[in-house]
């Protein structure tokens, strides 16, 4: 005990209050390992006496340490050091930066681990299509969370119905009504995010060796599910207005797939949208060939230019469409919440697959989100996110207009979170990624969005503006474009290495 | 507006305060559909004036309605009726009773839907191996939840590392140390409950057509996963001290499985435990035949008679054991939280499978639970749960000692949450279930714990005492036993119907 006290010296010239100085000293002793896990701190009385400072000062410092997780108090026994908060700091740092959300693949991870792409606190992150944490409505959600705990007590933590908390399913139906989709709570399956929805549908409908049709390129997480299920992927090249209908019909006839996976509006990664005409035809093909269609409604709400695409689900007369919606983009990814509208013919299988997957989604989160919607917070927040994203979208488009090298092209999507830049064929995208990373700019190489089954374009990159602050966009896009030009000038643009 | 006010009449003779009367009147108008979804209530001023009551009375009633979810307030616009709270009440009622947690199967559900087994509020539920909601430490968890929101703000809702929130993995390792299992945070994979753990391991290790070995009977949720994966189940009869080692070796040689799934301590559904000798031998076989072993540590902590079984993981020298632990039984099922210790050789595959399954487990729940552990709440609560369950265990054993008919047998497990009663061969268990249900007693028929691949015993029932209050146990067990005797006397015990 005495030793600890001897290590604490106050700086009399400091302008910092004594309690802050004590807080910092103790934090340092914990951080550098002098005070190890579960060591008991001297008592308030001892500290106060030995250090010659006021008791209130000591209490305040300890309280702050506890709040920040450096110490914990056992009633009646004293205050103890929480272990490993050095590691915590480190891991929290890593976490906020290394997380590449849905673009994670072992390949991309190795790119990062090899140091070819690195993310730091200063990175301008065009790789992540995920909102920044500052946008999350923590205060409103906290209100909902606490009200639910008050209202439901332990029931909030019981097993939930596998299909999902019924009142939340009701709330979702009401919100969907505003988006012109009619459904009732019995059609809704609550899921822990869109990724889980794809996994559950795969379990309910697909067996090893079955075929599935996807767009190419497409969401890497979907490819991962289908591969994990042992399913054969028949991928169809995606054009600016959707897949070619004749290729689609040809592929259906050839492989007789049970399922088609599509992101019709502001697709991930391309930002392309299927035309309304093609949507109608696609549904006709689904009817004709007895095909289920997963409509991954990634971000159709983020329609910045009044494109007014109609969801497949709202046109779905014959129950062919499984509509999947995540709250990760508009709300917050870490909640792990979303829902599906499931055709009655497969609902039983879907509920059983959900039960075998994780029994149910967290009841607390479901209940809190339900109350959040019922209180009108959701309407307010989705409008707010729309405005934030729209500003980032316009800024990115403008920056590209001002800076884009002649040999780089892209289609303005009119909405969503992603832009798909085409560099000249054979352009060394990995080298570009490395060079940009040196300047703290990261993006997602196009390659990771291909299943590898048919021809891939390796000269694309996905630029997502979801997590880049408006004030960094011009700078980030500028550096990206200049780096491309520089590579061209130095004749470093084209790969002379085997494809990574 | 006027009409609403005309519908509200106060009872002058009532002893209820006016605000409660107003609350009840409005609740009824909402409940019976007179006030429909999103209708705006008259203003506080209007209500106060027209009803001739104090403003504070009106405000209090409205606040209570809001708290209970019947109305919501839009700042600046007024108070509106939340829709569908009639349905909500209904669905909440259904939920708390119909949820059969992990014993859910389509077959069992149909038993309920056919009215053969029904659960009501008065049911004494020996079917659920899940704690009752009143046992959940809502207040302590709320403290942790709010501190995390205060500390991490929006970061609590970002995508988490797929492997899990690092500080939580540290906390888990410390807790495991107390249970004699050494591991480090890099070995830990956070999961959304044990069910998800089994699903992820299946994805990481098994392909359609592969073989897996299970005990027979075993956890119905595990059977569901393996079947969904298209895996062949080789099930081995479970004895009171574990599987027969010679049958095990024979089966391994015959089917060359990649994986064995076992619940060595206080097994579900039997309560049987593998002897320490058999545990050692089992690990030797795993080494010899290059087999991974899933150790589902269901409730080894609930050792009420000092059996001191050693976990397979703590004996695992050669990294053969995948240790899965859920917090559903000791903490609360609705959290959907658990973890696995994963051998390094398969960790990469496991993380990838987790990512493809749901990207990550809810960050908020992970962070709150981490703080909950660090604050010492966990130690306190697990001791509390141990005491509660032990009391229920002893009471159930005593009730059986006093009431068990001669022709019914079971082995006293010494711990866990389940007892496995053997009725005479051919006993009509479904009929027993129906008769007991008429008297508000429910239990799980043994049949649902068999994969159906090899010989099943159809004369067992699982009696779980986890969610039965001590004061109901004697009564419940008494009725069960009397019903069995009655069936025998009336010669109704043996099935004359085809097996359901």
């Amino acid at each position: 005990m005495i030793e600890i006290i001897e290590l604490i010296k106050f700086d009399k010239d400091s302008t910092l209050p004594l309690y802050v100085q004590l807080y910092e000293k103790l934090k340092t002793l914990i951080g550098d390992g002098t005070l190890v896990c579960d060591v008991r701190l001297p008592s308030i009385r001892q500290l106060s006496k030995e250090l010659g400072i006021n008791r209130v000062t000591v209490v305040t410092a300890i309280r702050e340490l506890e709040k920040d997780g450096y110490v914990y108090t056992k009633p009646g026994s004293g205050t103890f050091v929480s272990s490993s908060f050095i590691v915590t700091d480190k891991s929290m740092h890593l976490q906020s930066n290394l997380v590449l959300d849905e673009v994670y693949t072992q390949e991309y991870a190795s790119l990062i681990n090899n140091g070819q792409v690195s993310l730091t606190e200063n990175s301008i992150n065009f790789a992540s299509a995920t909102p920044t944490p500052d946008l999350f409505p923590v205060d409103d959600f906290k209100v909902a969370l606490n009200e639910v705990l008050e209202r439901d007590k332990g029931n909030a933590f019981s097993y939930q119905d596998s299909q999902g908390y019924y009142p939340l399913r009701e709330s979702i139906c009401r919100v969907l009504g505003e988006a012109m989709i009619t459904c009732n709570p019995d059609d809704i399956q609550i899921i822990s995010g869109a990724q889980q929805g794809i996994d559950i549908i795969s379990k309910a409908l697909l067996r090893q060796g079955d075929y599935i049709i996807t767009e190419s390129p497409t969401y890497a997480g979907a490819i991962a599910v289908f591969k994990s299920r042992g399913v054969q992927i028949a991928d169809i090249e995606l054009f600016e207005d959707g897949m070619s209908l004749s290729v689609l019909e040809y592929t259906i006839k050839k492989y007789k797939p049970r399922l088609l996976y599509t992101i019709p509006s502001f697709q991930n990664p391309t930002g392309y949208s299927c035309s309304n005409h093609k949507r109608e035809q696609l549904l006709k093909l689904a009817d004709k060939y007895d095909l289920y269609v997963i409509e991954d409604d990634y971000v159709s709400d983020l329609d910045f230019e009044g494109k007014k695409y109609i969801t497949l689900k709202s046109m779905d007369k014959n129950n062919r469409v499984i509509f999947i919606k995540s709250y990760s983009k508009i709300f917050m990814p870490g909640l792990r919440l979303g829902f599906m509208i499931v055709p009655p013919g497969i609902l039983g299988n879907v509920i059983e697959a959900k039960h075998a997957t994780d029994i149910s989604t967290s009841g607390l989160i479901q209940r809190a989100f339900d109350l959040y919607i019922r209180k009108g917070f959701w309407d307010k927040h989705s409008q707010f996110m729309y405005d934030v994203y729209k500003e980032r979208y316009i800024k990115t488009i403008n920056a590209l207009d001002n800076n884009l090298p002649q040999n780089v092209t892209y289609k303005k999507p009119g909405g969503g979170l992603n832009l798909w830049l085409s560099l000249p064929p054979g352009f060394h995208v990995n080298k570009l990624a490395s060079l940009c990373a040196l300047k703290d700019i990261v993006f997602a190489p196009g390659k990771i969005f291909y299943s590898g089954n048919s021809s891939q374009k390796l000269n694309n990159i996905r630029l997502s503006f979801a997590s880049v602050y408006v004030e960094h966009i011009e700078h980030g896009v500028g550096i990206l474009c200049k780096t491309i030009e520089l590579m061209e000038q130095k004749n470093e643009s084209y790969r002379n290495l085997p494809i990574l």
Side-chain angles (χ1 to χ4, degrees), chain A:
Chain A
M1 295 299 164
I2 308 279
E3 304 96 73
I4 297 177
I5 284 160
E6 284 177 350
L7 290 169
I8 299 173
K9 298 270 174 278
F10 293 107
D11 178 0
K12 284 173 189 169
D13 300 329
S14 171
T15 56
L16 287 174
L18 273 181
Y19 88 87
V20 177
Q21 289 193 48
L22 180 57
Y23 168 92
E24 288 294 339
K25 297 281 177 193
L26 286 169
K27 187 175 145 179
T28 306
L29 292 174
I30 294 166
D32 67 12
T34 309
L35 293 175
V36 295
C37 168
D38 297 327
V39 153
R40 190 163 152 271
L41 292 187
S43 69
I44 306 288
R45 210 170 55 83
Q46 263 183 302
L47 281 169
S48 156
K49 193 178 153 199
E50 305 269 347
L51 296 170
I53 57 177
N54 195 306
R55 268 195 193 204
V56 177
T57 306
V58 178
V59 169
T60 311
I62 298 285
R63 198 188 300 139
E64 289 298 305
L65 284 168
E66 190 173 3
K67 215 171 101 183
D68 295 344
Y70 291 96
V71 301
Y72 61 96
T73 302
K74 277 195 186 176
S77 319
T79 303
F80 299 82
V81 173
S82 299
S83 77
S84 52
F85 263 87
I86 328 162
V87 188
T88 302
D89 283 353
K90 184 184 138 214
S91 63
M92 286 173 80
H93 169 82
L94 280 177
Q95 226 167 3
S96 58
N97 293 301
L98 268 185
V99 167
L100 284 154
D101 57 75
E102 90 287 20
V103 302
Y104 173 94
T105 60
Q106 280 202 344
E107 188 184 345
Y108 199 46
S110 80
L111 215 67
I112 292 167
N113 295 335
N114 296 340
Q116 292 184 269
V117 171
S118 66
L119 283 165
T120 70
E121 251 168 32
N122 301 320
S123 291
I124 297 182
N125 187 352
F126 289 108
S128 168
T130 300
T132 41
D134 55 300
L135 299 174
F136 185 72
V138 177
D139 293 335
D140 286 349
F141 194 72
K142 196 171 164 185
V143 168
L145 211 44
N146 279 295
E147 278 197 36
V148 161
L149 287 172
E150 210 50 57
R151 186 189 72 190
D152 299 347
K153 307 251 166 20
N155 290 308
F157 301 94
S158 298
Y159 276 118
Q160 300 298 307
D161 186 349
S162 284
Q163 201 180 341
Y165 179 59
Y166 194 89
L168 174 60
R169 289 190 268 143
E170 292 174 327
S171 295
I172 286 170
C173 287
R174 278 205 303 286
V175 173
L176 280 172
E178 294 162 22
M180 309 291 284
I181 299 175
T182 42
C183 70
N184 79 66
D186 294 334
D187 305 327
I188 301 278
Q189 169 67 57
I190 302 291
I191 45 180
S192 307
Q195 181 71 36
Q196 187 184 64
I198 302 169
D199 183 44
I200 286 172
I201 294 298
S202 298
K203 282 180 184 145
L205 293 184
L206 303 174
R207 287 289 165 272
Q208 190 171 318
D210 284 353
Y211 272 87
I212 182 163
I213 294 181
T214 70
E215 293 152 349
S216 179
T218 191
Y219 169 46
I223 297 172
V225 170
F226 302 136
K227 286 192 173 171
S228 156
R229 191 78 190 155
V231 168
Q232 301 291 321
I233 299 173
D235 50 6
I236 296 181
E237 185 178 356
L238 184 67
F239 295 101
E240 295 184 0
D241 66 341
M243 294 176 281
S244 148
L245 292 168
S246 54
V247 174
L248 178 57
E249 183 158 13
Y250 168 81
T251 309
I252 295 173
K253 279 188 192 163
K254 186 168 171 193
Y255 296 114
K256 302 184 179 44
R258 192 89 215 268
L259 200 60
L260 181 154
Y261 171 78
T262 177
I263 309 173
S265 299
F266 314 124
Q267 200 245 13
N268 180 17
T270 59
Y272 299 165
S273 294
C274 184
S275 68
N276 283 338
H277 167 70
K278 280 193 175 178
R279 289 173 197 236
E280 280 166 27
Q281 298 304 313
L282 190 151
L283 281 184
K284 279 188 186 156
L285 289 175
D287 283 342
K288 186 171 168 188
Y289 294 102
D290 191 22
L291 192 71
Y292 281 107
V293 177
I294 297 181
E295 175 177 29
D296 188 344
D297 186 355
Y298 180 62
V299 283
S300 72
D301 348 45
L302 302 178
D303 177 4
F304 305 132
E305 296 177 358
K307 301 278 186 193
K308 301 214 164 82
Y309 295 113
I310 306 162
T311 58
L312 292 174
K313 187 71 221 173
S314 61
M315 298 190 283
D316 177 28
K317 302 271 173 288
N318 300 309
N319 281 314
R320 308 311 312 171
V321 177
I322 303 153
F323 181 85
I324 300 187
K325 185 90 191 166
S326 153
Y327 290 112
S328 300
K329 307 303 163 201
I330 305 288
F331 205 46
M332 209 63 180
L335 267 196
R336 310 311 305 130
L337 196 65
F339 69 89
M340 304 194 280
I341 308 175
V342 182
I346 57 171
L347 185 63
N349 289 344
V350 166
I351 295 173
E352 200 165 23
K354 167 67 179 173
H355 192 270
T357 298
D358 67 355
I359 302 183
S360 77
T361 294
S362 161
L364 177 63
I365 299 290
Q366 290 190 62
R367 284 162 193 256
F369 189 59
D370 173 51
L371 196 58
Y372 184 90
I373 296 176
R374 285 177 195 260
K375 282 175 166 287
F377 290 152
W378 170 252
D379 287 342
K380 189 180 76 174
H381 183 67
S382 49
Q383 184 59 49
F384 167 75
M385 290 301 288
Y386 178 89
D387 295 341
V388 167
Y389 282 144
K390 185 171 181 178
E391 191 186 6
R392 291 180 185 183
Y393 170 75
I394 292 171
K395 193 85 183 176
T396 309
I397 296 288
N398 289 345
L400 285 170
D401 282 350
N402 296 338
N403 294 284
L404 205 65
Q406 266 196 334
N407 50 5
V408 182
T409 58
Y410 80 103
K411 178 188 154 69
K412 225 170 92 178
L417 299 169
N418 303 307
L419 306 173
W420 187 244
L421 271 49
S422 298
L423 284 73
F427 197 95
H428 200 329
V429 167
N430 279 347
K431 180 144 201 173
L432 176 64
S434 306
L435 291 174
C436 283
L438 291 175
K439 296 166 193 165
D440 284 330
I441 311 290
V442 291
F443 57 81
K447 185 181 188 310
I448 64 178
F449 302 99
Y450 289 92
S451 65
N453 289 339
S454 61
S455 65
Q456 309 170 30
K457 291 184 181 166
L458 300 172
N459 56 321
N460 285 91
I461 65 177
R462 188 188 78 170
L463 216 59
S464 306
F465 48 83
S467 67
V468 185
Y469 296 104
V470 163
E471 55 272 29
H472 296 154
I473 289 175
E474 178 80 33
H475 174 69
V477 169
I479 288 183
L480 170 69
C481 293
K482 282 209 187 65
T483 310
I484 295 171
E485 280 167 354
L486 219 69
M487 280 175 70
E488 290 277 39
Q489 283 164 21
K490 291 191 177 178
N491 287 319
E492 287 180 344
S493 341
Y494 300 97
R495 59 185 74 244
N496 46 14
L497 292 169
I499 295 164
L500 187 91

